[in-house]
Amino acid sequence: PHCVAYSLQGSLLAISEYETCYIYDPDDSHNKTLQTIKQSGNLCALRFLPNDESKLFCASTNGQVKLWHALTGTCLKSLQRLNRVDAMAISLPAPNAFLACASSNFIYSFHHIHETNHANQMLIGHTDAVSALAFAPPDNHGMPLLASCAKDKSMKFWNLDAGTCLHSLTDLDDIQLNIVFTANGCYFITISLTRCQVWQPYTWQRLHNIHSSSQVLDASLLQQPIIAFPSIVTKDDLSSHTIEVWDVESAKCIRTIPTNILSSQQSNTTLLFRPPLAFES
């Protein structure tokens, strides 16, 4: 298993392979490893702290969730041990950071992660394993909306303040493998094996599909002054080594851009692409 995470500032990149996480400088063309972190159990999710890119949460399939100093390789704290971890998400900067971990069909939310190691809530509602978690940007009260997708072909949206489900979307066409919100919170995008869809939160309406020229493997959202609206970046097929930049509102591909390729030294089958941090007009 492989997973990848970029720090919010874009100056650090983490790539995992089995029990090992490698830290890179994305701008280093030689791909020199800055630090190596080892954690027991296959790593299934990596998340940098939004307000401190030197700190990285690593989650393992055996239920371990640990906070590491990415540059020194020091373990800073361990969170409450879960039975397993299937997905993990961390909120954008707010008065306090929120962390959510999925263990089978249960979701554990950690509030004030700097102050406690134990989960504050267990969210129950899915009938099969959770496949993806994502936080919407926090509201004026600093309480983010948490979205979850599961193998029961449903999506749920949670109010962490009350610990309740605000809305459910059921009987979806596909199992959603990933979900991301735009930085302004106006849209969220879901990714399955067959399609990429744009939705509107709170109205819960599906606006349109994004028809990529190849299978969508992952997505990340960029804020760029050159682009009027938040755009979605999708990984193209492994042979073309390009990314597609899409405008979320119009569902049109703006352009295709060559990428810098980062490949794990131990595997010749997985390619990880770095989204460009800026576009030229």
Side-chain angles (χ1 to χ4, degrees):
H2 294 76
C3 44
V4 60
Y6 289 92
S7 63
L8 190 62
Q9 295 79 10
S11 60
L12 289 179
L13 168 67
I15 300 174
S16 74
E17 184 169 44
Y18 302 105
E19 298 181 354
T20 306
C21 176
Y22 303 94
I23 308 298
Y24 297 96
D25 176 355
D27 294 318
D28 180 6
S29 60
H30 300 290
N31 296 339
K32 180 181 178 181
T33 303
L34 299 179
Q35 188 56 253
T36 300
I37 294 170
K38 288 188 176 292
Q39 180 171 311
S40 64
N42 289 334
L43 293 171
C44 59
L46 307 172
R47 295 291 184 271
F48 282 98
L49 278 182
N51 56 351
D52 186 351
E53 66 176 1
S54 68
K55 295 177 181 177
L56 174 71
F57 271 106
C58 297
S60 303
T61 54
N62 65 5
Q64 287 191 355
V65 181
K66 294 186 177 184
L67 178 64
W68 298 84
H69 195 290
L71 296 177
T72 65
T74 303
C75 181
L76 302 176
K77 69 184 306 181
S78 297
L79 298 187
Q80 173 187 340
R81 182 77 175 259
L82 306 176
N83 290 332
R84 54 185 282 183
V85 177
D86 297 288
M88 181 172 64
I90 193 167
S91 62
L92 290 173
N96 292 291
F98 296 82
L99 184 78
C101 293
S103 180
S104 188
N105 58 318
F106 303 110
I107 301 169
Y108 297 85
S109 63
F110 297 81
H111 305 181
H112 316 296
I113 53 179
H114 296 291
E115 302 172 8
T116 181
N117 299 341
H118 296 279
N120 299 82
Q121 295 171 330
M122 183 172 68
L123 307 175
I124 302 174
H126 286 293
T127 59
D128 206 339
V130 174
S131 54
L133 295 170
F135 281 102
D139 59 22
N140 295 332
H141 303 288
M143 181 60 65
L145 175 75
L146 176 65
S148 60
C149 305
K151 293 180 179 180
D152 57 14
K153 294 187 177 181
S154 74
M155 285 192 290
K156 293 184 180 294
F157 301 87
W158 306 87
N159 179 334
L160 293 188
D161 194 18
T164 57
C165 180
L166 293 175
H167 191 76
S168 295
L169 295 171
T170 59
D171 299 322
L172 301 175
D173 296 334
D174 303 292
I175 297 173
Q176 305 304 313
L177 303 177
N178 201 354
I179 180 170
V180 287
F181 283 85
T182 58
N184 60 6
C186 293
Y187 306 97
F188 64 92
I189 293 86
T190 58
I191 301 165
S192 69
L193 287 176
T194 60
R195 70 186 72 186
C196 184
Q197 298 176 312
V198 180
W199 303 72
Q200 197 166 44
Y202 299 107
T203 66
W204 321 113
Q205 296 298 310
R206 181 168 49 201
L207 301 180
H208 40 244
N209 294 336
I210 288 180
H211 299 284
S212 175
S213 61
S214 60
Q215 180 182 340
V216 177
L217 301 179
D218 200 357
S220 59
L221 294 158
L222 305 179
Q223 275 186 301
Q224 300 297 335
I226 302 299
I227 299 175
F229 303 106
S231 296
I232 186 168
V233 176
T234 65
K235 291 178 184 175
D236 205 345
D237 60 78
L238 298 182
S239 60
S240 66
H241 302 165
T242 60
I243 58 175
E244 297 172 359
V245 181
W246 293 75
D247 180 88
V248 169
E249 288 202 342
S250 65
K252 293 182 179 179
C253 183
I254 299 173
R255 65 190 67 176
T256 301
I257 301 175
T259 64
N260 298 326
I261 302 172
L262 291 169
S263 178
S264 170
Q265 296 177 353
Q266 286 79 14
S267 173
N268 57 7
T269 60
T270 301
L271 294 176
L272 301 169
F273 302 103
R274 181 195 173 200
L277 299 180
F279 302 122
E280 296 180 358
S281 59

